[in-house]
Amino acid sequence: MPEAWTLGIESTAHTLSFGLVDPSGTPYPAMSSTVRPDEGGIHPREAADHHKDAAANLLGKLLLQTGISLSEIGAVAFSQGPGLGPCLRIGAALARGISSRLNIPLIGVNHCVAHIEIGRQQCGCQDPILLYVSGGNTQVIAHLDGRYRVLGETLDIGIGNMLDKFARGQGIPFPGGPVIEKRASEWLESNPNPSLVGLELPFAVRGMDLAFSGVMTAAQRLLDNGAELGAVCWSLQEHAFAACVEIAERALAHTGKSELLLGGGVACNTRLREMCTMMATEREATSHAPPRMYCIDNGSMIALLGHIELDHGRTTSLDKSGVDQYLRTDQTPVTWAV
Ligand code: ATP
Ligand code: FE2
């Protein structure tokens, strides 16, 4: 087991975040800064500039908050991919700098696997089916033969990007997911027995895969035809989440596993958590979701995966520390899970 603290740097997209795990692998709340563009989506270059400018101050604040000094840090981990190239490169450059300045090991980790590992640790799951729902990714995953295998995934955009894009069309700034959740639940409060009549949307399931762009276009069309925003938000959530829950249930059925674990930013959503619990309960399985601060992108999950990798003897040499925008969940060997 590593004898010192591990620092984690997350910079795949909109958020720069520093996090720490202590020598026993316990994560501490991360210090994060998120780009919130005045209009339009996230611009990779602008996000990278934000990360560069925010870094020193953010790291200083984390050390102050946690009460540890740089000399207590024994390793530094960073998100090597997947993500936006310019943003990834800032995180990698920071990590290389800290590694050489403090003369400590460098560990490049897979961002998707980090979402999974913090969930497994926080929820105490053994061998779950994972429903990884974030901005860029929507995957159903199971561990098999030393890898996290993708059993089903979105064929077009991630569910979070779909929610953000739909929201942006209504003038709601990034991140749109939490605002859609709020609008939907407010609408439900004043319409306790909703009917789907008039709010029909396409179902996003394609075998074990998903596709969200058609649902988003259809939801926008409902608004164009005069439907109430709250009603459309509610309906969009119900349809999109039901599709994710459906393929997660198929995965549980095919593999015979009995734990479902949620991860990624969209896993903050209370309605999605509720739907997963309902499905799992009906199958006599269990559904788990980590604390919300560990669902959204955070440096603590990167530190935790770095700690685990180090514990299994893996570090990253400088010449192998380049970023990989297209790194996939199943490309990373996972030697520690069952
Ligand atoms: P990844 O690289 O793993 O795809 P990401 O860059 O999308 O990660 P995350 O922080 O994992 O970042 O997820 C952000 C997404 O989560 C955004 O699309 C945001 O709208 C969505 N989100 C956050 N909270 C909620 C919520 N309560 N309901 C629905 N969506 C949410
Ligand atoms: Fe993420």
Side-chain angles (χ1 to χ4, degrees):
M1 185 172 295
E3 282 165 11
W5 291 66
T6 303
L7 175 68
I9 306 176
E10 159 56 30
S11 74
T12 52
H14 45 77
T15 299
L16 177 71
S17 177
F18 291 94
L20 285 161
V21 296
D22 72 13
S24 73
T26 303
Y28 282 67
M31 193 57 78
S32 309
S33 175
T34 298
V35 192
R36 292 176 202 281
D38 293 333
E39 57 183 52
I42 305 286
H43 189 287
R45 196 61 262 158
E46 283 167 17
D49 285 345
H50 159 273
H51 296 353
K52 184 162 49 70
D53 296 343
N57 188 24
L58 215 52
L59 177 58
K61 278 189 179 162
L62 175 76
L63 296 176
L64 208 63
Q65 169 181 280
T66 322
I68 75 151
S69 64
L70 278 177
S71 62
E72 289 171 87
I73 296 173
V76 56
F78 67 101
S79 278
Q80 204 160 10
L84 306 172
C87 301
L88 286 167
R89 282 191 281 276
I90 297 292
L94 286 166
R96 284 184 208 112
I98 293 171
S99 162
S100 68
R101 170 134 178 255
L102 300 180
N103 197 22
I104 55 175
L106 177 70
I107 311 139
V109 307
N110 183 321
H111 175 92
C112 307
V113 175
H115 272 294
I116 297 172
E117 288 306 331
I118 196 133
R120 278 201 337 130
Q121 190 221 45
Q122 292 290 302
C123 301
C125 292
Q126 286 308 305
D127 185 20
I129 288 293
L130 298 136
L131 179 54
Y132 169 32
V133 276
S134 64
N137 290 286
T138 308
Q139 297 182 333
V140 168
I141 300 161
H143 183 265
L144 186 77
D145 288 343
R147 303 264 163 150
Y148 284 118
R149 313 278 170 180
V150 178
L151 305 183
E153 65 185 317
T154 182
L155 301 173
D156 50 24
I157 52 174
I159 186 169
N161 282 354
M162 183 275 284
L163 295 171
D164 295 337
K165 240 173 147 175
F166 171 78
R168 198 159 67 237
Q170 307 317 308
I172 299 166
F174 176 86
V179 181
I180 292 181
E181 174 172 28
K182 193 159 174 283
R183 293 280 149 81
S185 65
E186 284 166 359
W187 182 82
L188 195 62
E189 264 174 41
S190 43
N191 297 272
N193 294 307
S195 142
L196 278 179
V197 178
L199 288 178
E200 243 177 73
L201 290 169
F203 199 41
V205 171
R206 307 278 184 278
M208 277 299 285
D209 294 320
L210 299 157
F212 290 111
S213 47
V215 192
M216 187 186 70
T217 310
Q220 274 160 351
R221 199 168 304 129
L222 284 175
L223 287 175
D224 296 342
N225 291 337
E228 216 181 309
L229 179 60
V232 178
C233 288
W234 175 78
S235 190
L236 182 59
Q237 284 201 161
E238 292 300 298
H239 282 76
F241 295 166
C244 296
V245 174
E246 165 89 29
I247 64 162
E249 179 167 20
R250 288 180 192 182
L252 284 168
H254 290 325
T255 59
K257 296 186 198 275
S258 60
E259 298 166 313
L260 176 65
L261 174 62
L262 276 162
V266 183
C268 290
N269 190 287
T270 302
R271 178 59 180 151
L272 176 62
R273 289 174 174 224
E274 208 173 79
M275 288 166 84
C276 288
T277 303
M278 277 160 59
M279 179 272 278
T281 309
E282 273 176 22
R283 304 186 49 82
E284 297 183 2
T286 52
S287 178
H288 309 263
R292 286 177 170 78
M293 68 175 167
Y294 294 139
C295 286
I296 53 167
D297 287 352
N298 65 90
S300 310
M301 70 183 190
I302 305 303
L304 174 64
L305 184 51
H307 170 95
I308 295 170
E309 299 258 26
L310 192 61
D311 198 21
H312 286 76
R314 200 185 73 81
T315 59
T316 305
S317 58
L318 269 186
D319 62 320
K320 295 267 163 51
S321 68
V323 302
D324 181 353
Q325 290 190 65
Y326 304 106
L327 185 65
R328 283 186 51 86
T329 306
D330 47 14
Q331 265 176 279
T332 298
V334 174
T335 50
W336 49 88
V338 270

